[in-house]
Amino acid sequence: MFKPNDKPTDLIVDSYVDNTLDTDHGTGQLTLREALLWAKTDATIDTITFAADSTITLDSQLTIDTGVVIDGQENVTISGGNSTRIFEVAPDTGATIRNMTLADGSADTGGAIYAAGDLTLFGVTMEDSAATEDGGGIAFAGDSDATRLQIIDSTIKGNYAPSGAGISVTGGTVVIEGST
């Protein structure tokens, strides 16, 4: 069980496999999936970083359902392995993903990301993901105009969907700055 008193001081991912889920957070033991679970044990908006350049291929999507910053420090790639969506951002959540590559996601809607909550992408490359319906890169479905998707200094390329290959928007407010 992930208890607030046992939470690591710093959430630094140093295990790059996706099949580990336990409360051991010693050196070489913290996965991104575990870091996200630790982040929701209290009301703190945590920053998750990575100990080294890495590529993580997911077995299943990662759900962000708490306020969190995930910082890849420009040398991290998270892959859906062409078999799963990478991130789902839950409603009433504020998340920032920055300085990383998201690649090879796959889902019916939102190949790389499906977001119903607030999401900021900063310095993110989102590439080569696909959706069978809409939002090859990202599907944004904010539940009100106050729900925001911000894409800043990012690149969205090589994604596929019958509708909205790069981005599909069905609600909320979208701000795009300095991005291609």
Side-chain angles (χ1 to χ4, degrees), residues 24-46:
D24 183 356
H25 52 270
T27 302
Q29 299 296 317
L30 187 64
T31 67
L32 178 55
R33 192 172 299 280
E34 290 168 331
L36 285 167
L37 288 171
W38 282 115
K40 68 183 198 175
T41 61
D42 58 32
T44 303
I45 295 178
D46 291 292

Side-chain angles (χ1 to χ4, degrees), residues 154-166:
S154 295
T155 301
I156 300 173
K157 64 180 183 177
N159 299 291
Y160 172 79
S163 175

